[in-house]
Amino acid sequence: MAVAGAIIGAAIGGWLNDKFGRRSAILIADFLFFVGAVIMASAMNSALLIVGRVFVGLGVGMASMTAPLYISEASPAKIRGALVSTNGFLITGGQFLSYLINLAFTKAPGTWRWMLGVAGLPALLQFILMLLLPESPRWLYRKGRQEEAKVILRKIYSPEQVEVEIQALKESVDKEIEENKASENINLFKLCQKKTVRRGLIAGVGLQIFQQFVGINTVMYYSPTIIQLAGIASNRTALLLSLVTAGLNAFGSIVSIYFIDRTGRKKLLVISLCGVVISLGFLSAVFHEATSTSAAVSMVETSHFAANFTCPAYHDAGSASSWDCTKCLKASPDCGFCTSPQNKLLPGACLISNDTIKDACHNQDRLWYTRGCPSRYGWLALLGLALYILFFSPGMGTVPWIVNSEIYPLRFRGVCGGIAATANWISNLIVAQSFLSLTHAIGTSWTFLIFGVISVVALFFVLICVPETKGLPIEEIEKILETRGLHMMFWKKRENEKRSGENDTKKEGEGDV
């Protein structure tokens, strides 16, 4: 329900951004966060809890597309990518902190009320701090508040740069007046008729969709489950190991901050996707081997327990002698596997899955499996997950948000950013809701292989459809989209990048003199 709320929030957020400004949209998102946290913490039944989740989701959707946009429009071109990447790091760092905070609250009275209610505090803090920050200068200029915009731009840029920025803004706004004046009358058909917007939307929306369809949120949402699928039986161990996943995600965001304005957006995406393809291929192979070498089910071991403990699907099977742990767990969601802790690969028992039988298994000092089977390859799955996160986070984790905050013409930036963020959250919902069903239907190995194939398609999409925006003024990106041909040799500098570098070197030399 939180993700469903985020879809609506992202869609409304685009209109709010263009109508009332970037800062106002963030303030509204903070208010929704706070209200949602209070409702969840004080919920007296599950219906109220769900209402609170929807409020939080609305805030998440608005903030997810507004924060990168606001940072981008209030940042100098040279460090714009690093600052938007910092936003990504603070999100992933916050996810890691939330694991630790929740761990701390597990022993507190009221447990989950504290876990959900404490989210209101950062929302309240940000609401207060946002009141002290200015509106986006580009939004102000477009709304005819030129003097306010110039005051803010002079605080961001050096005296020689500010006039260039103001002139570029003036040209962009003049062009808008010539074309139609009103972004208020925008519809999707009109947007797609404009070459710059169409190309921007293809790149921006495509990146947001591929960000989700390469499988990241299956790893983030279901990392404890994936760790169990790799053969780690303990829930607590799986949860603690998922902390590593969250920590690596935050570390990857730090790498992005350092490289984004040095390496460039496109090159970072390509390196990231190449690593993701390799990692998913590795994970697919590991889970295939784990399934192929699954521990057998033994009639003798099963008979150690009461007759009514045996899983009906196993009891009724004509070929029970050929069963293994994987077949036991796939036969029915009501089946579980109980085995010896000394050697987890020895034949075990296929039993009914419920708390009574789980306790009976544990009382005999045995291990209980319901999601994945014991495997000698479990540690390799953890290595694959770590590699996946380390490759994904610096590139595909942050760059789609950066590109979407830069690539659209000023007059359509809010609504196009909203479209892209909505596509991201819809994709998020589809992947998250289908992952466990896919693993049950076709197996974890084939599921990761599908994500790997999608990652290869994403790689070609980046090479063909995504322009390099590194170091360019936001208004300059629009001109590139108007005339852009394929730039496959993205590792070579464009002429405007070379000139920019030469100018920077010249200025540094003059400063030294």
Side-chain angles (χ1 to χ4, degrees), residues 59-338:
V60 168
M62 283 184 197
S64 67
M65 57 83 52
T66 307
L69 184 59
Y70 177 79
I71 295 166
S72 175
E73 291 188 347
S75 305
K78 277 179 70 175
I79 58 167
R80 186 172 64 235
L83 289 176
V84 180
S85 288
T86 302
N87 177 62
F89 163 66
L90 293 171
I91 290 170
T92 54
Q95 288 171 343
F96 180 74
L97 271 178
S98 73
Y99 275 99
L100 294 177
I101 290 166
N102 288 349
L103 202 61
F105 279 127
T106 51
K107 301 295 182 185
T111 339
W112 59 268
R113 293 189 187 277
W114 284 103
M115 290 179 184
L116 299 173
V118 76
L121 295 178
L124 182 62
L125 178 63
Q126 182 171 270
F127 185 91
I128 295 166
L129 293 176
M130 281 304 300
L131 294 173
L132 306 176
L133 288 175
E135 182 52 84
S136 159
R138 285 174 168 80
W139 183 83
L140 287 170
Y141 200 98
R142 184 176 161 270
K143 290 295 180 181
R145 295 158 65 178
Q146 283 91 346
E147 291 309 312
E148 290 178 65
K150 287 176 183 178
V151 169
I152 298 166
L153 285 168
R154 288 191 180 103
K155 292 179 180 179
I156 298 169
Y157 293 95
S158 60
E160 63 272 15
Q161 288 177 311
V162 75
E163 294 307 321
V164 176
E165 288 294 323
I166 291 169
Q167 183 58 34
L169 264 174
K170 184 177 183 303
E171 288 175 11
S172 180
V173 173
D174 288 346
K175 187 174 181 180
E176 176 184 357
I177 293 167
E178 286 171 21
E179 285 184 348
N180 250 355
K181 287 189 182 180
S183 64
E184 286 72 21
N185 299 323
I186 295 169
N187 62 53
L188 193 59
F189 179 71
K190 283 184 180 178
L191 281 176
C192 292
Q193 283 182 322
K194 300 177 186 294
K195 187 196 293 184
T196 54
V197 182
R198 184 174 66 250
R199 286 177 169 176
L201 277 172
I202 289 169
V205 172
L207 278 177
Q208 294 287 34
I209 291 171
F210 279 119
Q211 185 193 60
Q212 296 303 318
F213 274 90
V214 299
I216 180 57
N217 277 320
T218 60
V219 172
M220 296 312 296
Y221 295 160
Y222 297 117
S223 55
T225 303
I226 293 169
I227 290 163
Q228 287 179 325
L229 287 170
I232 308 294
S234 164
N235 285 338
R236 184 171 177 78
T237 304
L239 283 167
L240 287 171
L241 286 171
S242 66
L243 265 174
V244 177
T245 308
L248 289 172
N249 200 23
F251 174 76
S253 301
I254 298 172
V255 174
S256 176
I257 294 168
Y258 182 79
F259 284 105
I260 191 71
D261 287 317
R262 290 172 170 82
T263 307
R265 284 63 161 150
K266 192 162 182 171
K267 193 183 292 184
L268 209 53
L269 283 171
V270 169
I271 294 168
S272 175
L273 282 167
C274 287
V276 163
V277 170
I278 292 167
S279 305
L280 288 169
F282 179 74
L283 279 168
S284 179
V286 167
F287 278 102
H288 178 266
E289 281 302 306
T291 303
S292 303
T293 57
S294 186
V297 173
S298 163
M299 186 77 76
V300 175
E301 288 294 316
T302 304
S303 64
H304 277 310
F305 297 88
N308 60 339
F309 279 19
T310 304
C311 178
Y314 173 66
H315 183 271
D316 299 338
S319 57
S321 59
S322 67
W323 274 44
D324 58 21
C325 172
T326 302
K327 197 166 184 179
C328 171
L329 299 189
K330 276 195 170 186
S332 165
D334 296 326
C335 289
F337 186 74
C338 181

Side-chain angles (χ1 to χ4, degrees), residues 16-17 19-30 62 66 70 127 130 135 139:
L16 277 175
N17 268 274
K19 186 75 175 173
F20 300 107
R22 307 352 179 183
R23 188 179 74 150
S24 299
I26 292 173
L27 289 169
I28 293 168
D30 286 331
M62 283 184 197
T66 307
Y70 177 79
F127 185 91
M130 281 304 300
E135 182 52 84
W139 183 83

Side-chain angles (χ1 to χ4, degrees), residues 388-498:
Y388 175 87
I389 291 290
L390 284 172
F391 278 113
F392 177 90
S393 186
M396 283 300 287
T398 55
V399 176
W401 295 104
I402 294 169
V403 170
N404 272 283
S405 70
E406 300 173 326
I407 202 168
Y408 306 115
L410 175 62
R411 54 205 173 277
F412 305 123
R413 200 163 293 149
V415 70
C416 289
I419 291 168
T422 303
N424 181 284
W425 286 107
I426 291 172
S427 305
N428 183 324
L429 187 64
I430 292 167
V431 174
Q433 290 300 103
S434 62
F435 174 70
L436 291 181
S437 302
L438 267 176
T439 57
H440 186 74
I442 63 173
T444 315
S445 174
W446 281 102
T447 303
F448 279 119
L449 191 63
I450 288 169
F451 288 143
V453 171
I454 293 171
S455 300
V456 173
V457 176
L459 181 59
F460 282 103
F461 172 83
V462 168
L463 288 169
I464 295 166
C465 298
V466 180
E468 180 56 77
T469 57
K470 168 191 158 189
L472 296 174
I474 288 178
E475 286 69 32
E476 185 71 25
I477 295 167
E478 185 176 349
K479 295 175 185 174
I480 284 180
L481 288 171
E482 283 177 354
T483 58
R484 186 173 76 83
L486 291 183
H487 184 55
M488 297 293 283
M489 298 173 73
F490 55 90
W491 55 87
K492 292 189 175 180
K493 284 191 174 181
R494 293 177 185 270
E495 284 304 310
N496 49 12
E497 286 183 57
K498 287 179 183 176

